Amino acid sequence: MRARGPPPPLPIPPSPRMYLPGPPPLPPPGTIPPRPIIIRLDPATAQRMDMLRSVSLIKFLRDARVVPSEEEEQRRERVVSELEKIVMDWAKRVAFHQGEQHWITTGTVLTFGSYALGVYGPESDIDAVCVGPCIASLQHHFFVVLRQMLEARPEVSDLHSIESARVPLMRFKFNGVSVDFPYVQLPVINAAEAIHAFDPRLLGKVDAASWRCLSGVRVNREIMQFVPNMKKFQVLLRCLKLWARRRGIHCHLVGFFAGIHLAVLGAYVCCRHPNASVNALLSLFFEIFSHWPWPLPVSLHDQTPLWSPDRCSLMPIVMPCFPPEFCASSVTKSTFKKIEDELRRGFALTKDIRNIDIDWSWIFAPYPYGARYEHFHRIVLSAPTTEELRDWVGWVKSRFRNLILKLESLNVGCDPDPSEQMDHTIAEPNVVFLWGLMYRNTQICTSSLKKDFMKSVINNIYGNEKCAHSDITMSIVSTPQPLKSLPDQSVHSQKLLNLPSLMLGFRQMNLGYQPMKQDCNAVG
């Protein structure tokens, strides 16, 4: 009897692949169809290509002038050093006038933000916290006594106080460098020694405003402990800040990224890929967050807050501190969509790691608002003096999220360009904002829109006082070059014409200037 052989093997299941809508055309008779060419890079070649791209990326950052010179670094160091001397002198003066032991009374200055992380640029300001003793009050000793001491210094200019903000602070320029200066009052007399110890039990006794001021300092310290390679993290964060600024997604007041958001996201990539190069880290950033399952929170540790405010529901990012807190966010549906689009665009431009001749200017190209949108919401803020305008703009911008939400409730998509312009045809000092609009078959009544928005602007005494001397106007316009004043836009204009529209994130349009009605506007 003939023995049976082994049973035939099971058929191999087809591997998932992308098929074309129809069969490809047959080649002419007698020709051999070409076979796909598979290029396998050996580790040494791949490492060399990665190194070349990293070198070219660092060179691009230097050419973009986002890295300060040694002279600029020293100037900022002198500013911080002088502020520390002023605060120490102020604390002892307060103690002397109150009959306290001034020889043990101290105050100091802590820095945070981009300056403390070492990623500030030539035009960046300094985020610094004034730390004072228990005998120095916020309203009198900080906003009156210390302000008078600062005004007496010839290096200080453009000083003004923002007392009713969520985080009260003074803002000024010291030797031409902008400084944001909030106040933290510690429940001890020797504030300098206590704050450098950073005892959690002591920090738990400060008031709510002081706790919010210290959140930036606490987050910076945690990030620097989490990140395995600080130099690579600094290069990556410089890239992310430049990318966000060029692509118009860098201002948290209008629903985009703040510096703390980019710092946490960059640290997340660095922690999970400690041996990656700066080129690989940038590619991984776009790969990870273009596919991130939002609203899953991004956290550097396993702990997440038990409660999430509504503003953090779309893109929650956890600050790496204890107890864990969500980063403050103003993201809306419109701004969230643009952030997602820009992450996907970045991923499409960086995913081919074999391309060593990558043109980084394509990734960091300024966002083409004029070609992307047909209609813009024009907001003009004006005031009698430049100083009053500065306060007015800061106050209104802190309320801009309410205006974006109102537009979204009318089924109007909004892309709020963070950049500020000036209309030279207006006599008073002014600032102009142009927001791209996306809507069809919807009426926008600018007078009604302004009326609703002003309710959030003048909702307290501070807003009423500012509004009494300042003004705001709104209109819907169509304009060919809404961001004519953006730097470097002309440099990239020729390269943008050679890129596919998918890579740019806009479609080509023919736009002509056409002012629309100042009251109700509709697009069919």
Side-chain angles (χ1 to χ4, degrees), residues 436-455:
L437 298 178
M438 298 164 286
Y439 63 106
R440 288 187 179 277
N441 301 322
T442 301
Q443 286 191 348
I444 300 179
C445 187
T446 52
S447 59
S448 175
L449 194 65
K450 176 183 175 180
K451 183 179 179 181
D452 288 342
F453 177 59
M454 291 304 293
K455 294 178 182 178

Side-chain angles (χ1 to χ4, degrees), residues 43 46 93 249 294 396 445:
R93 186 177 299 184
I249 53 175
W294 305 105
V396 174
C445 187

